[in-house]
Amino acid sequence: MPEKSAARVHDCDILELDRHHSRRKGDLSVVSGGHTVPFDVRRVYYLYDVPGGESRGGHAHRRLQQLIIAAAGSFTVTLDDGHLKRRFTLNRPYHALLVRPGIWRTIDDFSSGAVCLVLASDHYDEAEYLRRYSDFLSFRKEIEK
Ligand code: TYD
């Protein structure tokens, strides 16, 4: 059996963010590190102008946690823990997908004008990526021992 520390796809889910609605002026959603999300946000990046049919991601992180938000448009995130896959279609700016460490992700089906906003628990570190699926599976074996 996997250790508790080895997150599975069922430990990843969509969080509903606070929404402040003003009838004539639009909506505002809030992500507050340590409060609405279970980590402090150290880095924000976003994907945009992704050509139709393209796929992003295709990697896992050893330690990093992320929140993925469709700030505009829509796309599909597929999460994989080496045992099971789960697909999430993100199409609401107040939905944030929590991705735990050690989970392989791919993002595709980008709509025109989609903006994929990512809030991450740490700074960029290429050494922290698992970019080959075979390395990812070896890593999973190690953390599930
Ligand atoms: P990558 O994480 O591979 O993008 P995706 O998984 O969406 O396809 O990153 C693409 C490139 O951008 C890669 O050369 C690394 C660089 N990059 C940074 O320099 N800093 C960052 O914070 C991120 C996320 C990527």
Side-chain angles (χ1 to χ4, degrees), residues 46 68-75 90-95 113-117:
Y46 38 99
I68 303 180
I69 298 168
S74 65
F75 47 81
L90 295 180
N91 54 13
R92 297 278 184 267
Y94 52 87
H95 283 168
V115 178
C116 172
L117 177 65

Side-chain angles (χ1 to χ4, degrees), residues 32-136:
S32 192
H35 295 278
T36 47
V37 294
F39 58 84
D40 281 330
V41 177
R42 284 215 169 132
R43 177 169 51 116
V44 174
Y45 64 92
Y46 38 99
L47 303 169
Y48 52 94
D49 286 349
V50 179
E54 268 308 325
S55 169
R56 302 292 306 232
H59 62 251
H61 293 280
R62 294 169 193 273
R63 291 176 301 278
L64 195 73
Q65 304 200 63
Q66 293 175 312
L67 268 190
I68 303 180
I69 298 168
S74 65
F75 47 81
T76 300
V77 184
T78 304
L79 301 182
D80 174 359
D81 60 20
H83 302 275
L84 280 177
K85 289 185 184 179
R86 275 182 91 185
R87 281 165 69 81
F88 297 87
T89 296
L90 295 180
N91 54 13
R92 297 278 184 267
Y94 52 87
H95 283 168
L97 176 63
L98 175 64
V99 183
R100 298 291 190 177
I103 303 284
W104 189 268
R105 88 290 313 276
T106 50
I107 312 175
D108 55 17
D109 291 341
F110 285 87
S111 70
S112 159
V115 178
C116 172
L117 177 65
V118 183
L119 285 65
S121 61
D122 215 336
H123 300 294
Y124 174 72
D125 175 11
E126 185 58 37
E128 198 274 328
Y129 276 73
L130 295 157
R131 290 198 181 270
R132 284 166 49 174
Y133 195 73
S134 55
D135 292 342
F136 161 67

